[in-house]
Amino acid sequence: MSPANDGRHPFPGGADYLIRHATLRQLQLLEAIVRLGSFTRAAEELFLTQPTVSMQIKKLSETLGTPLFRHVGRTVEPTDAGREVYGACREILGTLTDLEVKLSDLKGLKRGRLRLGVVTTAKYVAPEILGAFCKQYPGIEVSLRVTNREHILERLMAHDDDLYVSGQPREDNEQIESIPFAPNPLVVVARADHPLAVERNIPMERLADESLILREPGSGIRDAVVKWFHEAGLEPRVRMQLGSNEAIKHAIVGGLGISVLSLHSLRLESAGGGLALLDVDGFPIMRRWHLVHWRGRELSLVARTFRDFAIDYEPEIAVRLANAKAAFEQTRERLRRQEAMGA
Ligand code: PGA
C-alpha cells in the first residue's frame, strides 16, 4: 500500500513521489469524473465498478495529501486542488493521445484507432460508411459516439474524439475545420392516412395548422425547423418534443402529429411502415453533413483516411437517398389511386 502523504508538503520528494505512488489510471479516472460530473458516469465510461473508482480516487487524494472532491447535495464537485489536478490530467492525457496518434501513424493503416462522434441523426449514415471503411482497413478499431449536436460540440471542445459528423455549423469558427460531404434533406413526415399525403405543392401556411412534433432542444434539426417557421413568418403549433427520431416516427404513426425529419432516418421505412412524405413548398430543407475537427490538432493518419473515404462515399449515399425518395413517391401515387377509386 502506498504511504499516505501526511499533508505537510505538497508532494514529499516532488514529482518523483507522485510518479511512484499515483497511477495514470487514477488520473484518467479523475479526468472522467470532473468532465462527466459524476463518479457513476465515470465508472460506466471506463467499464469499472463504482467502488473501484471511489477507492482509486481515495488513494490518489491520499498520495496528494488533499481532498479532490466535495459533495454538494447529491452531486460531487472538484475542490480547488481537484480542479488543478484536472488541468494537469487533461494535459497528460492529451500528450498520451498525441503520442498514440504518432505511433499508430508510424504503423500505417494496418493498425490504429478511430474515435468518431456523430450527431443523433448521423447514426443513420455513419455506421454504413464505417462498415465500408472497416472492410477496406480491417486492422482499424473504431468507436462511435452518438449524441445530439450540443453534446457533440462539447465533445469537440474537449477533444474527446478524433473526428465528428455534424449537421450545418451554426456559425463560422476559425478554429474548427468543417467539410461538407453528403446531403441531408429534411422532409415533412405524416401518417400515411393523413389527408395531405396525396396532395402536391402544399402551401407552407398549411403546416402551421398541423400539430407538430419537435426534436429536443440542442438538436440541429430542431434549430433548422424553428428557423424555417420563423423565416416563413409562421408560428408552429408544437404538440410535443421528443429526444429521438425513432420515438418521433412512432408518435406520428400513433396519430400525435406530423414532424420534420432527415430523409436518412426514414430509409428503412420507405418500403412501408405507415409513414408518408408531404410535398410542402420550401421542402426538403437541404442540409449537408459535415466532417468536423479542430484545426489546431493534427488529424491522425487513420482519421485523415476516414475523412477522405467519407467524402468519396457521397455518391453511394446520394443513390440511397434517391431510392428512398422514389419509394415514398410510389407510396403517394398508390394512395392517390386508392383515393380516386374510393371517390
Ligand atoms: P440532430 O442533428 O440529430 O442533433 O438533430 C442533425 C442535424 O444537425 O441535421
Side-chain angles (χ1 to χ4, degrees):
M1 223 186 88
S2 66
N5 182 339
D6 60 11
R8 274 179 292 156
H9 306 286
F11 322 127
D16 185 49
Y17 183 86
L18 250 189
I19 289 165
R20 276 186 293 127
H21 298 297
T23 65
L24 284 172
R25 187 60 154 171
Q26 289 169 348
L27 301 187
Q28 185 191 30
L29 282 173
L30 180 131
E31 191 278 338
I33 298 166
V34 177
R35 175 167 46 82
L36 299 168
S38 132
F39 276 59
T40 314
R41 287 175 63 194
E44 276 166 14
E45 184 174 285
L46 295 167
F47 302 108
L48 293 170
T49 62
Q50 190 165 348
T52 306
V53 173
S54 304
M55 171 59 77
Q56 291 302 325
I57 291 299
K58 185 164 171 276
K59 282 190 183 162
L60 181 62
S61 118
E62 282 169 8
T63 304
L64 296 172
T66 178
L68 298 168
F69 291 96
R70 65 172 152 257
H71 287 273
V72 181
R74 298 183 59 181
T75 56
V76 284
E77 63 177 37
T79 58
D80 288 346
R83 240 178 263 285
E84 285 296 331
V85 180
Y86 173 69
C89 288
R90 291 215 51 112
E91 275 180 37
I92 294 167
L93 296 174
T95 305
L96 288 177
T97 308
D98 288 346
L99 179 64
E100 188 201 353
V101 165
K102 293 205 174 88
L103 293 182
S104 65
D105 278 6
L106 290 177
K107 291 184 195 136
L109 289 162
K110 289 202 187 65
R111 286 215 114 83
R113 207 148 68 102
L114 175 69
R115 285 163 308 180
L116 198 62
V118 310
V119 289
T120 324
T121 305
K123 76 173 177 208
Y124 300 99
V125 61
E128 184 181 320
I129 307 174
L130 267 182
F133 179 76
C134 288
K135 213 162 154 196
Q136 190 156 332
Y137 302 103
I140 292 175
E141 189 193 315
V142 293
S143 73
L144 181 67
R145 172 68 68 137
V146 184
T147 180
N148 77 19
R149 172 154 91 175
E150 205 155 286
H151 289 129
I152 283 295
L153 284 176
E154 280 167 22
R155 293 185 69 84
L156 172 71
M157 297 300 167
H159 307 294
D160 285 339
D161 311 275
D162 301 313
L163 200 59
Y164 297 88
V165 177
S166 160
Q168 219 108 329
R170 233 173 265 176
E171 68 251 355
D172 278 346
N173 180 335
E174 276 178 8
Q175 289 172 302
I176 296 171
E177 172 100 51
S178 177
I179 309 167
F181 80 101
N184 176 25
L186 303 188
V187 291
V188 186
V189 190
R191 202 158 92 160
D193 63 359
H194 193 290
L196 292 179
V198 292
E199 303 274 319
R200 291 213 166 271
N201 305 322
I202 302 162
M204 291 176 169
E205 297 71 37
R206 281 291 284 108
L207 276 199
D209 301 333
E210 298 291 325
S211 297
L212 185 69
I213 307 168
L214 261 191
R215 280 277 306 276
E216 80 287 3
S219 140
I221 297 187
R222 178 197 173 97
D223 285 357
V225 174
V226 170
K227 187 163 163 255
W228 183 89
F229 270 93
H230 183 74
E231 285 174 358
L234 299 170
E235 194 63 44
R237 261 180 47 197
V238 180
R239 171 85 179 264
M240 66 192 298
Q241 308 188 29
L242 289 174
S244 107
N245 296 302
E246 295 307 309
I248 291 185
K249 288 190 268 182
H250 283 274
I252 296 171
V253 173
L256 287 162
I258 65 162
S259 189
V260 176
L261 294 171
S262 162
L263 185 55
H264 288 282
S265 63
L266 297 163
R267 269 185 33 213
L268 298 182
E269 277 80 8
S270 55
L275 297 173
L277 297 196
L278 300 191
D279 181 16
V280 180
D281 292 344
F283 278 90
I285 299 175
M286 283 312 289
R287 283 165 71 78
R288 287 183 76 79
W289 293 120
H290 287 66
L291 288 156
V292 180
H293 69 93
W294 273 109
R295 278 189 214 280
R297 199 170 186 127
E298 208 183 318
L299 277 185
S300 67
L301 175 65
V302 174
R304 284 199 307 274
T305 310
F306 179 79
R307 180 193 60 191
D308 297 343
F309 186 91
I311 292 169
D312 290 344
Y313 202 79
E314 164 159 8
E316 328 256 332
I317 297 172
V319 168
R320 298 214 200 328
L321 284 178
N323 289 343
K325 191 150 179 292
F328 275 111
E329 289 292 342
Q330 281 171 8
T331 308
R332 179 180 299 119
E333 286 314 311
R334 183 172 46 79
L335 294 169
R336 279 172 90 94
R337 277 198 304 278
Q338 278 170 4
E339 198 184 62
M341 275 159 61

